[in-house]
Amino acid sequence: MNENTTSRWLAICEHMHKAQNSSPAAARQVQLVAVSKAQPAEAIEALLVCGQRVFGENKVQEAAKKWPALRACYPDIELHLIGSLQSNKAREALELFDVIETIDRLSLVDAIAKARNEGRETRCKKFLVQVNIGEEPQKGGVMPAKLDTLLAYCKQKELTISGLMCVPPADDNPAPYFAMLNTLAQKHNLPELSMGMSGDFETAIRLGATSVRVGTALFGERVKK
Ligand SMILES: *Cc1c(COP(=O)(O)O)cnc(C)c1O
């Protein structure tokens, strides 16, 4: 299994590189976020041995169980929260994650501002806003029409937003959604674009992604609990 992980990691790095070189719109540097949700520590360690340091998890509780031990061995790990965040877990998330990619509502901005104002040093240094780019009712993310208001509120609360993140509708061609997210980011002068997963990371890179979130294509199918 570890050998598989290593060869999959190498293949993905190569595909990323090719996509980058094939498009003038590609970012100069693209970060690979290895999505390790539902993966055991052994699978993660196989990637750490390769030199991979940036990982994504979608649940605060799961991350709290898995990552402190791994961080003790690899202090330069960068952990991203890519799943929706409940306001009552904001403080815990600020201590666990280096990057929170899923700011999507005013009440969450309030909860984060409150936790940060309590004065304790927190780990998290970077924040992205998740946009519900396909305007799907069941999905997380701020509706595109409400993005201006949310960004203005972040500014008012002194929460610096570095970029936008999205998960396009599952059964559609993702390219128009990636292009739309890029346009929104440019409009607001936001340098970072987190878009693209196992099935479409090359498309996302060609359309300007600065980070891609890849799970299945790296680790194989997730074990369902
Ligand atoms: C699970 C997940 C991914 C990774 O998906 P794969 O298809 O396994 O690559 C990326 N982004 C988010 C937000 C996810 O929840």
Side-chain angles (χ1 to χ4, degrees):
M1 178 177 117
N2 289 2
E3 261 172 50
N4 281 343
T5 307
T6 308
S7 58
R8 281 193 286 244
W9 181 78
L10 281 168
I12 285 177
C13 294
E14 201 177 307
H15 285 128
M16 287 177 65
H17 203 72
K18 275 193 187 143
Q20 245 178 305
N21 289 334
S22 73
S23 166
R28 203 169 305 157
Q29 282 206 345
V30 184
Q31 182 181 54
L32 172 62
V33 179
V35 177
S36 50
K37 63 189 185 195
Q39 300 296 344
E42 309 86 77
I44 294 169
E45 274 172 335
L47 280 188
L48 285 164
V49 169
C50 294
Q52 177 69 30
R53 289 294 181 272
V54 186
F55 293 85
E57 290 280 345
N58 67 337
K59 293 198 179 92
V60 174
Q61 255 22 61
E62 184 181 341
K65 277 193 203 127
K66 271 157 54 177
W67 287 93
L70 291 163
R71 278 202 199 271
C73 304
Y74 299 90
D76 55 342
I77 281 169
E78 182 181 306
L79 196 58
H80 292 222
L81 178 63
I82 60 167
S84 65
L85 177 56
Q86 289 171 261
S87 295
N88 63 4
K89 296 208 176 102
R91 182 180 301 100
E92 196 179 359
L94 287 169
E95 285 167 9
L96 263 172
F97 293 94
D98 302 277
V99 181
I100 295 178
E101 299 199 11
T102 50
I103 305 297
D104 64 355
R105 60 194 190 278
L106 304 179
S107 58
L108 181 58
V109 176
D110 279 335
I112 288 176
K114 184 162 174 275
R116 289 171 110 201
N117 285 337
E118 283 166 2
R120 238 187 312 162
E121 185 69 22
T122 53
R123 175 187 293 277
C124 194
K125 296 284 180 291
K126 192 188 276 188
F127 301 88
L128 273 64
V129 164
Q130 180 180 1
V131 180
N132 188 345
I133 201 74
E135 303 186 33
E136 298 169 277
Q138 81 285 6
K139 240 186 209 158
V142 65
M143 289 295 172
K146 291 186 173 169
L147 179 61
D148 291 15
T149 308
L150 181 59
L151 288 172
Y153 195 66
C154 291
K155 200 165 193 181
Q156 186 191 323
K157 292 283 177 177
E158 295 179 355
L159 184 70
T160 303
I161 299 298
S162 303
L164 302 179
M165 176 271 218
C166 78
V167 182
D171 304 320
D172 267 4
N173 172 11
Y177 298 101
F178 292 153
M180 221 185 300
L181 195 73
N182 194 339
T183 303
L184 286 173
Q186 284 184 28
K187 178 184 165 200
H188 291 284
N189 238 327
L190 297 169
E192 301 204 18
L193 272 177
S194 170
M195 56 188 198
M197 321 201 313
S198 288
D200 53 23
F201 66 91
E202 290 155 292
T203 306
I205 289 171
R206 282 188 222 105
L207 291 167
T210 60
S211 84
V212 293
R213 309 177 308 269
V214 179
T216 316
L218 265 177
F219 292 103
E221 288 296 327
R222 283 179 282 277
V223 183
K224 299 244 162 60
K225 281 178 193 156

